[in-house]
Amino acid sequence: MADALRIGIAGLGTVGAALVRILQQRSNELAVSCGRPLVVTAVSARDRTRDRGADLSGITWYDDPLELAASADIDVFVELVGGANGAAHDSVRAALARGVHVVTANKALLAYHGVDLARIAEANSVILNYEAAVAGGIPVIKAMRESLTGNSFSRIYGIMNGTCNYILTRMEKEGLSFADCLAEAQRLGYAEADPAFDIDGNDTAHKLAILTTLAFGSEIAADEIYLEGISNISIDDIHAAADLGYRIKLLGVAQRTETGIEQRVHPTMVPLDSVIAQVDGVTNAVALESDILGELLMVGPGAGGNATASAVLGDITDIAKSRPGAQQVPVLGRPAHLLEPYRQAAMRSHEGGYFIRLRVADRIGVFASIAGRMAENGISLESIVQHAKRQPEAGAPQTIILVTHATMEGAVRQAVSAIREEGYLVGEPQVIRIERPKNG
Ligand code: HSE
């Protein structure tokens, strides 16, 4: 049997501890399938005393991930520290530069430094794997980087944040408040250290930026993503969506258009009978639309220790099976120097259906005025309803809900701003984009 693959793990939190346990419990099976033993030789973590449910005796401890990255007794550096900069960035860079393979679960690191790190990895002929960075346990990176090579992608979209999906699902199914659902998600260990990263859409944006590059061959553009989080979504929106045959999900969407690439993260109405609408709780889903294969939807666990550790383990075993000196899979789907500059499509030219919920003063002529502002902006309406069953008594503000046929975002913005000027709105209008799967 070949020499053992020596693994150094930086970060022994939920994922790191699960990884060590699995590597130890499955050591025989892993050695057989990889043709060599996989051994954790070194770790770095702040707390040396915490019980992690794994045998850490005989493993070298470092306080600093940088020292671990520089140590001579590892072949693979596994970065589970987190954060785009600081220790995570410095240690990954150092490991790659000295010819050590790297596995990371760090989406922010990839989103902001992915191109630079890919260049370093490729210059040093080492592997940089990051399956766990996007959609947890779903093998979407491998699918896009390897299995679907040769396909031309037109659109990719998905539910890539377990915390947001958990919150929206619980709000709908249990009628719980946003705050209660968030607290539950935090208790269950799904949320980021700062949950604003989840609910404001940043976590999804980091993951989307990576997939956009794999899909379209352009440089990673994490700061050029249209972003709306879910904190603005109310139970009323969820009910109104259900009445109209939709469910609300936080989607990340990247799409090739005639004017460039659209990258957007926002609450989205998806048809109730679509598969993605059925993806509940912490589960993630990624849909890939490409010319040769058609539509591929991958659904699976997107957060949590074991799901993430499973993806990290897959990355490590790929390294264990790789042949020294052989050509490696390009980190970002094509060699980093061949990535194209990112060309952003303006959000105003996004074309799609819209849900618009307005609270208005109960006055004669309001309905007609709203329909008029829509028509003036060339917007065709699929429906306009004022549901008697969900309204308060006459004279109190009423809710009017519009659904448009496919139209331009710019036209919707203009129509809503014209409606605002009419003076009958009560509170802020709610606008939610509608996304339809290719085949449904
Ligand atoms: N906070 C993330 C989520 C964890 O909720 O999906 C995985 O990135």
Side-chain angles (χ1 to χ4, degrees), residues 389-409:
K389 67 173 181 179
R390 296 207 194 276
Q391 301 294 343
E393 70 285 0
Q398 305 289 305
T399 297
I400 296 179
I401 290 163
L402 302 96
V403 175
T404 76
H405 284 298
T407 185
M408 303 289 270
E409 171 115 1

Side-chain angles (χ1 to χ4, degrees), residues 20 107 128 137 225 252 275 283 310 319 340 367 399 412 420 425 438:
V20 177
K107 57 244 157 181
L128 169 56
I225 298 182
V275 182
T283 305
S310 165
I319 291 170
E340 288 165 13
F367 218 81
T399 297
V412 171
R420 253 202 201 97
L425 278 189
K438 201 173 176 184

Side-chain angles (χ1 to χ4, degrees), residues 105 107 132-133 135-136 160-164 189-192 198 203 207 282 284 302-304 308:
K107 57 244 157 181
M160 292 180 270
N161 185 270
T163 300
C164 287
Y190 303 141
E192 296 298 303
D198 296 297
D203 178 76
K207 296 165 181 170
V282 72
N284 280 199
T308 312

Side-chain angles (χ1 to χ4, degrees), residues 171-333:
M171 282 174 77
E172 180 188 352
K173 293 212 186 324
E174 311 294 334
L176 293 173
S177 75
F178 176 83
D180 284 347
C181 299
L182 173 58
E184 266 186 7
Q186 285 179 289
R187 227 178 10 255
L188 293 168
Y190 303 141
E192 296 298 303
D194 176 359
F197 259 78
D198 296 297
I199 61 182
D200 293 345
N202 290 294
D203 178 76
T204 303
H206 290 157
K207 296 165 181 170
L208 181 68
I210 298 167
L211 296 191
T212 302
T213 287
L214 292 174
F216 303 121
S218 53
E219 287 178 351
I220 304 175
D223 285 330
E224 294 179 70
I225 298 182
Y226 176 82
L227 207 58
E228 271 177 38
I230 62 163
S231 51
N232 203 15
I233 298 296
S234 67
I235 292 273
D236 288 347
D237 294 319
I238 290 173
H239 285 155
D243 286 346
L244 293 162
Y246 294 95
R247 190 163 274 154
I248 300 175
K249 298 288 181 191
L250 182 78
L251 291 195
V253 187
Q255 187 170 7
R256 197 198 286 281
T257 76
E258 278 169 18
T259 57
I261 296 168
E262 258 179 30
Q263 288 190 107
R264 45 196 170 85
V265 174
H266 50 69
T268 311
M269 305 221 326
V270 290
L272 259 178
D273 58 4
S274 61
V275 182
I276 202 156
Q278 318 306 322
V279 175
D280 280 345
V282 72
T283 305
N284 280 199
V286 183
L288 308 172
E289 293 176 356
S290 62
D291 58 348
I292 307 174
L293 180 66
E295 187 176 23
L296 172 66
L297 182 70
M298 304 172 87
V299 179
N306 273 349
T308 312
S310 165
V312 172
L313 182 62
D315 280 350
I316 295 172
T317 59
D318 272 351
I319 291 170
K321 292 177 212 162
S322 67
R323 279 175 293 123
Q327 192 174 347
Q328 314 295 4
V329 177
V331 175
L332 295 169

Side-chain angles (χ1 to χ4, degrees), residues 31-51:
V32 170
S33 61
C34 295
R36 61 195 292 199
L38 308 186
V39 181
V40 180
T41 49
V43 293
S44 86
R46 269 189 233 121
D47 182 355
R48 294 191 182 205
T49 56
R50 189 148 60 89
D51 179 12

